[in-house]
Amino acid sequence: MTYNDKTITYSGDLASYDYDAILRDKQRNINSLYELADYYVDADPIFRGIINGVYVPFSLSDDFRLVGANEQTKAKYLAYYDRIHLKDRMRSIFYQYFKYGNVFCYLMEDGNIITLPVHLVRIANVMIGGEPVLEFNCKSVRDDMRQQGVKAQKDFLEDEDLKVRLEGFPKEVSDAINKGSDWVQMNPENTFVMQGLKEDWMRYAVPMVATCLAAFRRKA
């Protein structure tokens, strides 16, 4: 396949990325690897097929197995999992796991589990109880809300207050955005980090796309 877009070179590389520099320092360039994963999971059918057609389905190929002697309690949990569509949530989590190598889960106050966008989260240089502490990029969200555009007709939403637009964000994020903070530390009791295999000293697991960059660079 050849491309005519000005952001892509004649060889099929994304022109704005220095693959060698990224591979020499993958931790510092983790966001670039996320961006390349986003690009190639759609641009390359083989790479997408491996994640969507092999790894994710295989990870969800078996049913839940709950340990315990009380069958009535286990049946109640299984019914709850069906009610909250846990399989669908797990499908999203495993998709992100194989795509980015890092998944940042957050337990909301209402008990709902959400995943935080990897592009807006960084791992702090401290750990609590062996778990990494996460920090969220509030400035990016605040800047996105300030973008100018065509005003939408609001048939169902009449409240102009910022609180309405921040619903769905973790409480510490919405509070920090209201205060004008650029970054906020997430409550470690509500976060869970799921990562691929990595060296102990690494903050981030390296996305699978890193091993493919040399091949993608040669692909016409």
Side-chain angles (χ1 to χ4, degrees), residues 87-100:
K87 266 283 179 89
D88 292 335
R89 187 60 49 86
M90 290 177 64
R91 187 172 291 106
S92 171
I93 289 174
F94 278 111
Y95 175 72
Q96 295 177 66
Y97 175 79
F98 292 116
K99 183 178 180 181
Y100 301 121

Side-chain angles (χ1 to χ4, degrees), residues 26 35 42 63 69 74 93 104 106 123 129 144 147 149 169 178 182 196:
K26 295 182 286 291
E35 293 169 0
D42 290 322
D63 292 329
K74 288 194 291 185
I93 289 174
F104 306 126
Y106 188 92
I123 297 178
D144 184 61
Q147 287 183 0
F169 284 94
N178 279 315
D182 288 346

Side-chain angles (χ1 to χ4, degrees), residues 10-21:
Y10 69 94
S11 62
D13 293 346
L14 292 178
S16 59
Y17 292 88
D18 185 338
Y19 287 175
D20 291 326

Side-chain angles (χ1 to χ4, degrees), residues 33-34 36-55 95 98-100 207-213 216 219:
L33 286 169
Y34 291 156
L36 288 166
D38 283 332
Y39 176 79
Y40 281 113
V41 82
D42 290 322
D44 189 87
I46 296 177
F47 186 65
R48 180 180 181 84
I50 289 172
I51 294 177
N52 278 349
V54 181
Y55 287 150
Y95 175 72
F98 292 116
K99 183 178 180 181
Y100 301 121
M208 183 169 55
V209 72
T211 65
C212 307
L213 292 185
F216 284 147
K219 193 171 183 178

Side-chain angles (χ1 to χ4, degrees), residues 19-38:
Y19 287 175
D20 291 326
I22 290 173
L23 293 178
R24 280 195 296 267
D25 193 349
K26 295 182 286 291
Q27 295 295 290
R28 189 183 299 273
N29 292 291
I30 189 66
N31 279 322
S32 294
L33 286 169
Y34 291 156
E35 293 169 0
L36 288 166
D38 283 332

Side-chain angles (χ1 to χ4, degrees), residues 76-159:
K76 183 171 67 174
Y77 272 100
L78 288 173
Y80 172 69
Y81 294 156
D82 288 338
R83 190 165 66 250
I84 66 173
H85 304 289
L86 183 59
K87 266 283 179 89
D88 292 335
R89 187 60 49 86
M90 290 177 64
R91 187 172 291 106
S92 171
I93 289 174
F94 278 111
Y95 175 72
Q96 295 177 66
Y97 175 79
F98 292 116
K99 183 178 180 181
Y100 301 121
N102 303 275
V103 187
F104 306 126
C105 301
Y106 188 92
L107 180 63
M108 298 290 282
E109 292 180 343
D110 61 0
N112 188 32
I113 299 174
I114 67 170
T115 54
L116 304 173
V118 293
H119 313 76
L120 300 182
V121 175
R122 68 186 182 192
I123 297 178
N125 59 355
V126 294
M127 301 182 72
I128 296 179
E131 285 291 323
V133 175
L134 304 180
E135 297 174 341
F136 192 90
N137 187 344
C138 300
K139 182 178 184 300
S140 177
V141 176
R142 192 168 57 250
D143 290 346
D144 184 61
M145 289 180 174
R146 289 172 177 167
Q147 287 183 0
Q148 297 297 320
V150 178
K151 187 175 182 180
Q153 179 181 349
K154 296 189 298 181
D155 293 329
F156 305 102
L157 182 63
E158 299 299 333
D159 194 343

